[in-house]
Amino acid sequence: MTDRQLWLLRHARAEAGDSMMEDADRPLSHAGRHQADRLGEWMYEQGFRPGLIVSSPAVRARQTTELACERLEFDLNHVHYDPGLYLASRGDLLRIIQDMRVPHGPLMLVGHNPGLEELLIWLCGEPLPRTDKDKLLTTANLARVEIGDSGALSEGGGQLIDLTRADELT
């Protein structure tokens, strides 16, 4: 990875699914579609543009990515769907990130907990901003992390710039 920022986006709220549905096939709920749309709109308003987006191919992550990209006016040709991101561990995420070459701008991962949350804690340490219910990355949360001048990822080597929760946007 060549840029100095890493963005971690947890997918928006998904339908609960049923016993006949595979977990990876769960789509966004109505509320989740609104979350993804609002977060993408907010990112556009802030002038936030990733250089590259790598997303889990799970339906809920793919839909989050597509809705956010629509609002960001971000070309879906610059999105890479990586099967390794589906329910990836912190170690899996680190390997994916280290293999990425970002042409310009931050790398944004769109994926799942607990891996994204574990990576954020590993990079930035505690304390991190949590909800009233002691949650860190709830659905449709964007954590922007400064990873240092070298761009190398190391335990405690990141600095949280901000954590934005779609449900808290007005």
Side-chain angles (χ1 to χ4, degrees), residues 74-104:
F74 188 86
D75 186 348
L76 287 173
N77 291 319
H78 296 286
V79 174
H80 175 68
Y81 293 97
D82 188 329
L85 263 172
Y86 177 64
L87 303 180
S89 69
R90 181 191 77 210
D92 296 334
L93 293 170
L94 285 169
R95 282 187 290 281
I96 290 167
I97 293 165
Q98 290 167 344
D99 289 343
M100 287 293 123
R101 297 291 172 251
V102 182
H104 62 323

Side-chain angles (χ1 to χ4, degrees), residues 31-45:
R33 295 182 73 76
H34 178 74
Q35 284 179 319
D37 188 61
R38 180 63 190 113
L39 189 62
E41 180 181 332
W42 177 83
M43 290 172 67
Y44 179 82
E45 291 167 357

Side-chain angles (χ1 to χ4, degrees), residues 64 94 155:
T64 298
L94 285 169
E155 185 172 6

Side-chain angles (χ1 to χ4, degrees), residues 128-138 141 163 165 167-168:
L128 291 169
R130 296 179 182 272
T131 67
D132 294 342
K133 295 180 180 179
D134 200 36
K135 301 287 185 184
L136 181 55
L137 287 181
T138 57
N141 283 196
L163 181 80
R165 295 180 171 98
D167 288 343
E168 295 175 359

